[in-house]
């Protein structure tokens, strides 16, 4: 019984926390050749087309504008960098990028 309560006590904060943070992946491009993964705060109540838990500029552009362009990538990454409170900066993760795009790969 105690084991189940401790597991539940660990899972509930993770689920609640996932509503307010996002893992955002920036694919390596000309301006950022090594790529980047950032953990940031998100506000799910501000927009129906907001960020997912694991997201990327390419996935955001494909979801909201119907396609991925270099201009859309730059605008999205710039808006995230300027407006979102960034909690951590991590190296690029191809696995997280693949999760965010549903396994699709877009040209660099």
């Amino acid at each position: 019984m105690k084991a189940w309560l401790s597991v539940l006590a660990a899972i509930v904060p993770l689920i609640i926390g996932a509503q307010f943070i996002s893992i955002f992946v920036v694919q390596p491009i000309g301006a950022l050749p090594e790529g980047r993964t950032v953990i940031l705060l998100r506000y799910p109540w501000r927009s129906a087309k907001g960020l997912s838990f694991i997201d990327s500029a390419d996935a955001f552009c494909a979801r909201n504008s119907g396609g991925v362009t270099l201009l859309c990538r730059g605008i999205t990454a710039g808006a995230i960098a300027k407006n979102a409170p960034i909690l951590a900066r991590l190296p690029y993760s191809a696995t997280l990028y693949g999760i965010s795009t549903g396994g699709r790969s877009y040209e660099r």
Side-chain angles (χ1 to χ4, degrees):
M1 181 73 170
K2 280 187 175 181
W4 284 104
L5 286 175
S6 62
V7 168
L8 185 63
I11 291 175
V12 169
L14 290 174
I15 292 171
I16 292 170
Q19 301 302 311
F20 299 100
I21 64 168
S22 185
I23 300 170
F24 192 80
V25 183
V26 179
Q27 182 185 28
I29 55 175
L32 192 62
E34 70 276 358
R36 184 72 60 191
T37 301
V38 294
I39 299 175
L40 51 93
L41 286 175
R42 67 183 167 115
Y43 305 101
W45 58 86
R46 286 191 181 170
S47 172
K49 293 185 178 182
L51 295 175
S52 300
F53 177 60
I54 299 175
D55 215 344
S56 65
D58 292 353
F60 186 85
C61 290
R63 187 171 60 245
N64 292 318
S65 66
V68 177
T69 64
L70 189 57
L71 179 64
C72 183
R73 273 184 190 160
I75 290 172
T76 303
I80 293 295
K82 181 179 178 184
N83 299 320
I86 296 175
L87 303 175
R89 288 177 172 84
L90 306 169
Y92 172 72
S93 171
T95 303
L96 289 174
Y97 176 78
I99 291 169
S100 74
T101 61
R104 293 187 183 141
S105 180
Y106 298 98
E107 290 184 27
R108 295 180 184 205

